[in-house]
């Protein structure tokens, strides 16, 4: 990924009343070392993040991303992010974006082991080329996540539902899916329910009804899915959060993986079984997702 710009953020308390955050944001060289070796983000993946799509300089869905950052911070017992400070940082970074698609990443780490405060930074990078995934779709392999739907409630210390920096297992799942001849994975619970992809939400179409697995089931509430549901409802479609069995995934009329940067990638096959792609409808969804959204 080509990193183009970065700011170090000195996080202020969530109730700080200052009006300007300029002196808490410091431009750093995105290609130079910036973290001490004792950083818990690097040592333990102990921190949280958000990735926002930026289209033509407009950062998409800033409010929902910041809401999820706050939610992740609460689950991980990190200091509550100051919304106006993060907004100021996003605005400053987005001003560097220019035309085309890019990615803003927000990171809040627990900081240096034994240190007094968390560490935070924000980066701007070029978005990868997602044209093929959006048009040809992605072949998915379903992979056992290893826990049942009720685990998040029984074991909150697993931090399921928080967007933590610990994505090693998510990346391992994508590699396993590729070994199985697919492009991406979809996690299923040990009791047979669809959860999410390692870096995306799952949305299924049954006739004129669109369904996504309930976010309380230890999965992230996708900002792209949330925005798409609002759009679909405006167009007169029904939407629902529900439990979805693995069998229902194969029976759906269509399915998509949704995320902030790749946007809507239609599912082209499930465990080797081809699935129909509605190219024109998917193009419409992506045209909406590429329009400025707040
Ligand atoms: N689920 C997981 C595990 C993710 O990592 C992501 C995004 O990276 C999503 C869902 C989709 O979230 P969003 O649409 O906010 O990008």
């Amino acid at each position: 990924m080509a990193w183009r710009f970065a700011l170090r953020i000195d996080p202020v308390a969530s109730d700080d009343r200052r009006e300007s955050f300029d002196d808490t944001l410091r431009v750093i060289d995105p290609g130079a070392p910036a973290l001490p070796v004792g950083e818990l983000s690097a040592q333990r993946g102990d921190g949280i993040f958000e990735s926002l799509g930026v289209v033509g300089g407009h950062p998409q869905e800033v409010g929902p991303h910041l809401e999820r950052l706050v939610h992740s911070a609460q689950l991980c017992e990190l200091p509550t992010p100051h919304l106006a400070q993060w907004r100021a940082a996003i605005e400053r970074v987005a001003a560097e974006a220019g035309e085309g698609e890019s990615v803003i990443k927000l990171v809040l780490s627990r900081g240096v082991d034994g240190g007094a405060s968390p560490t935070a930074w924000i980066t701007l990078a070029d978005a990868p080329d997602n044209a093929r995934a959006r048009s040809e779709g992605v072949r998915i392999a379903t992979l056992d996540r290893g826990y049942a739907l009720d685990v998040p409630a029984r074991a909150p210390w697993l931090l399921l539902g928080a967007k933590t920096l610990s994505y090693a297992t998510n990346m391992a799942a994508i590699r396993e899916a590729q070994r199985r001849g697919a492009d991406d994975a979809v996690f299923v619970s040990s009791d047979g329910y669809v959860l999410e992809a390692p870096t995306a939400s799952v949305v299924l179409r049954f006739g004129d009804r669109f369904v996504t697995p309930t976010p309380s089931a230890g999965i992230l509430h996708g900002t792209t899915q949330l925005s798409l549901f609002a759009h679909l409802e405006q167009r007169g479609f029904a939407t629902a959060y529900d439990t979805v069995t693995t069998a229902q995934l194969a029976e759906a009329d269509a399915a998509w993986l949704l995320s902030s940067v790749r946007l809507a990638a239609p599912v082209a096959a499930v465990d080797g079984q081809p699935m129909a792609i509605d190219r024109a409808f998917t193009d419409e969804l992506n045209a909406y997702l590429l329009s400025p959204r707040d």
Side-chain angles (χ1 to χ4, degrees):
M1 197 176 258
W3 273 272
R4 289 173 36 206
F5 187 74
L7 290 178
R8 178 75 185 250
I9 301 173
D10 292 329
V12 299
S14 60
D15 58 355
D16 193 295
R17 299 175 76 108
R18 76 184 76 192
E19 287 189 355
S20 168
F21 296 94
D22 290 353
D23 62 350
T24 68
L25 309 177
R26 186 161 42 90
V27 178
I28 54 172
D29 177 352
L35 299 175
V37 290
E39 242 303 314
L40 289 170
S41 53
Q43 295 282 355
R44 293 186 175 151
D46 194 352
I48 56 175
F49 78 103
E50 283 293 322
S51 292
L52 287 70
V54 184
V55 184
H58 183 86
Q60 303 281 52
E61 302 288 348
V62 172
H65 277 287
L66 287 180
E67 244 175 65
R68 195 169 60 188
L69 187 74
V70 168
H71 180 63
S72 296
Q74 280 163 351
L75 291 175
C76 295
E77 298 171 75
L78 284 163
T80 306
H82 191 299
L83 294 181
Q85 184 185 29
W86 282 94
R87 272 187 187 277
I90 292 168
E91 205 174 298
R92 172 75 185 83
V93 173
E96 306 287 328
E99 289 311 302
E101 293 178 53
S102 26
V103 190
I104 287 180
K105 186 164 177 179
L106 322 176
V107 183
L108 176 63
S109 148
R110 200 172 301 279
V112 175
D113 204 358
S117 62
T119 310
W121 66 95
I122 176 167
T123 56
L124 174 73
D126 292 328
D129 183 0
N130 287 306
R132 193 178 157 82
R134 288 176 194 163
S135 59
E136 307 292 317
V138 286
R139 296 160 301 171
I140 58 154
T142 55
L143 296 183
D144 186 355
R145 187 84 155 111
Y147 60 74
L149 268 198
D150 67 343
V151 162
R154 282 196 289 122
W157 45 88
L158 294 180
L159 303 180
L160 300 165
K163 195 166 169 68
T164 76
L165 290 168
S166 313
Y167 261 48
T169 51
N170 302 44
M171 297 301 109
I174 294 174
R175 290 195 297 275
E176 175 59 25
Q178 289 170 347
R179 268 194 292 276
R180 296 184 186 195
D183 306 300
D184 208 334
V186 163
F187 288 125
V188 296
S189 66
S190 57
D191 43 358
Y193 294 97
V194 174
L195 298 170
E196 63 185 345
T199 64
S201 314
V202 180
V203 167
L204 302 99
R205 179 175 190 169
F206 299 96
D208 283 344
R209 185 166 182 265
F210 291 77
V211 178
T212 195
T214 309
S216 62
I219 62 176
L220 294 188
H221 197 171
T223 61
T224 319
Q225 169 269 310
L226 203 56
S227 172
L228 189 77
F229 268 24
H231 171 71
L232 290 169
E233 283 158 22
Q234 266 197 343
R235 289 178 59 172
F237 293 108
T239 64
Y241 294 96
D242 207 346
T243 48
V244 176
T245 63
T246 314
Q248 282 175 303
L249 176 58
E251 288 160 8
D253 296 317
W256 293 266
L257 300 189
L258 288 173
S259 52
S260 296
V261 179
R262 192 170 57 183
L263 304 178
V267 174
V270 179
D271 294 329
Q273 292 300 312
M275 191 164 200
I277 291 180
D278 187 339
R279 188 76 76 86
F281 188 72
T282 301
D283 287 349
E284 281 172 33
L285 299 185
N286 279 318
Y288 162 70
L289 293 170
L290 284 164
S291 66
R293 293 178 288 123
D294 288 314

